[in-house]
Amino acid sequence: MPNITLEMPTWLSTLLPAADYVLQNDEEKMALAVQLSAENIKRGGGPFGAIVVDLDNNTLISAGVNRVVATCCSIAHAEIMAIVSAQQSLRVFSLAEGGRSTELVTSAEPCAQCFGALHWSGIKRVVCGARSEDVMAVGFDEGVKPKNWVEALRERQIDVKRDVLRAAANEVLLAYKSSGLIVYNGVSDDTY
């Protein structure tokens, strides 16, 4: 059986700030996530980027981009890649371990898979750019998640902020649609 390896692209680290750089606000954090998603398109990847930030000092812990096609792995979404990278970097299975408080900043709202992973990851806050309907308008299938997903996360003490730089995040999605790159797991008439 093959070893399971999900690697970040080598170019990713060239776009990240220094480890001690303080991300000033939600807009600056989202600008980085959106920049990663745009660069990922230029490199043939999916139109999604995400970062994990330490809420105590607003510094970057990890970053991820969509690697589904590149890795032939349907779970290699930007959010999952960023969470796994943070957990591996910190050597913890929960990002809340030791009282740590982290947030996931993602260029688009979580799909069903990423929504499901949030509470197990130990993330305490989620900041979203584009809405699920923006992602679906490009043709991606976001899966089935609760209509009240924001409230469901808040019930688990995970704060959610939506629509941060939504227009910029949606521009990346539209650029992807125009690029002719593959819309994997796309919505079809028989999906539901």
Side-chain angles (χ1 to χ4, degrees), residues 56-67:
D56 294 328
N57 58 22
N58 284 314
T59 57
L60 183 71
I61 297 173
S62 69
V65 291
N66 183 281
R67 302 282 291 156

Side-chain angles (χ1 to χ4, degrees), residues 51-109:
I51 62 173
V52 174
V53 175
D54 185 322
L55 281 170
D56 294 328
N57 58 22
N58 284 314
T59 57
L60 183 71
I61 297 173
S62 69
V65 291
N66 183 281
R67 302 282 291 156
V68 170
V69 174
T71 61
C72 296
C73 182
S74 62
I75 66 168
H77 292 196
E79 299 92 334
I80 299 298
M81 298 296 285
I83 289 168
V84 168
S85 180
Q87 291 170 331
Q88 294 283 305
S89 176
L90 297 171
R91 310 276 315 139
V92 297
F93 63 86
S94 171
L95 294 173
E97 189 174 304
R100 183 180 287 109
S101 189
T102 58
E103 71 181 333
L104 176 73
V105 180
T106 176
S107 64
E109 291 178 344

Side-chain angles (χ1 to χ4, degrees), residues 3-80:
N3 289 329
I4 299 170
T5 304
L6 292 177
E7 294 182 356
M8 296 294 185
T10 55
W11 58 263
L12 185 63
S13 62
T14 65
L15 296 181
L16 301 179
D20 60 349
Y21 180 80
V22 175
L23 296 157
Q24 298 297 321
N25 52 46
D26 291 339
E27 289 73 20
E28 186 175 354
K29 295 170 190 175
M30 184 59 70
L32 178 56
V34 170
Q35 179 187 13
L36 296 176
S37 67
E39 185 65 26
N40 204 39
I41 293 173
K42 292 177 188 171
R43 310 280 183 145
F48 306 101
I51 62 173
V52 174
V53 175
D54 185 322
L55 281 170
D56 294 328
N57 58 22
N58 284 314
T59 57
L60 183 71
I61 297 173
S62 69
V65 291
N66 183 281
R67 302 282 291 156
V68 170
V69 174
T71 61
C72 296
C73 182
S74 62
I75 66 168
H77 292 196
E79 299 92 334
I80 299 298

Side-chain angles (χ1 to χ4, degrees), residues 131-172:
R131 291 232 175 170
S132 294
E133 53 263 31
D134 301 331
V135 176
M136 290 186 292
V138 173
F140 288 99
D141 183 351
E142 289 292 271
V144 179
K145 67 182 180 187
K147 289 191 187 306
N148 63 344
W149 67 273
V150 171
E151 292 77 24
L153 288 177
R154 288 185 177 143
E155 286 175 11
R156 290 184 170 268
Q157 286 70 56
I158 301 172
D159 186 37
V160 178
K161 184 173 181 181
R162 300 166 80 187
D163 298 332
V164 176
L165 301 183
R166 180 181 180 187
N170 197 36
E171 281 181 35
V172 174

